[in-house]
Amino acid sequence: MICWSIGTLAISILFVTYEVVPPIIGWLGIVATIPVGFGNGIKLVKHKSIALFDIGALLAIVFEVIIGGWLLFF
C-alpha cells in the first residue's frame, strides 16, 4: 500500500501539472494518497487500526472510481 500511495501521488501530481483531467480530480488523488501513505507507515509501528488509514482508504476508493470513469468515458 505504501508503494501504491507513492505511485498514485506521482500520477496525481502529473494530472494536476499537465491538466490531463480536471484539476479537482488530481487534487483529490493527492489528498487521498497522503493519509494512506502516512497511515500505513504508522501501522507498521503500531499494529492497531487507525482512523487516518481508514479515511485515506475511503478517499482513495472515491478517487479511483472517479478517475476510472473519467478516463473511460472522456
Side-chain angles (χ1 to χ4, degrees):
M1 285 298 289
I2 293 173
C3 292
W4 173 87
S5 177
I6 293 168
T8 303
L9 180 63
I11 293 292
S12 297
I13 290 171
L14 289 175
F15 284 159
V16 170
T17 304
Y18 292 107
E19 297 179 1
V20 177
V21 297
I24 191 73
I25 297 174
W27 282 108
L28 177 63
I30 292 170
V31 170
T33 57
I34 291 172
V36 172
F38 282 124
N40 277 310
I42 294 170
K43 207 172 203 181
L44 287 173
V45 177
K46 293 171 118 181
H47 298 291
K48 304 222 182 215
S49 179
I50 57 172
L52 182 64
F53 174 75
D54 296 337
I55 292 169
L58 288 174
L59 285 173
I61 291 170
V62 170
F63 168 71
E64 292 290 333
V65 168
I66 290 172
I67 195 68
W70 176 267
L71 294 175
L72 186 64
F73 293 114
F74 296 103

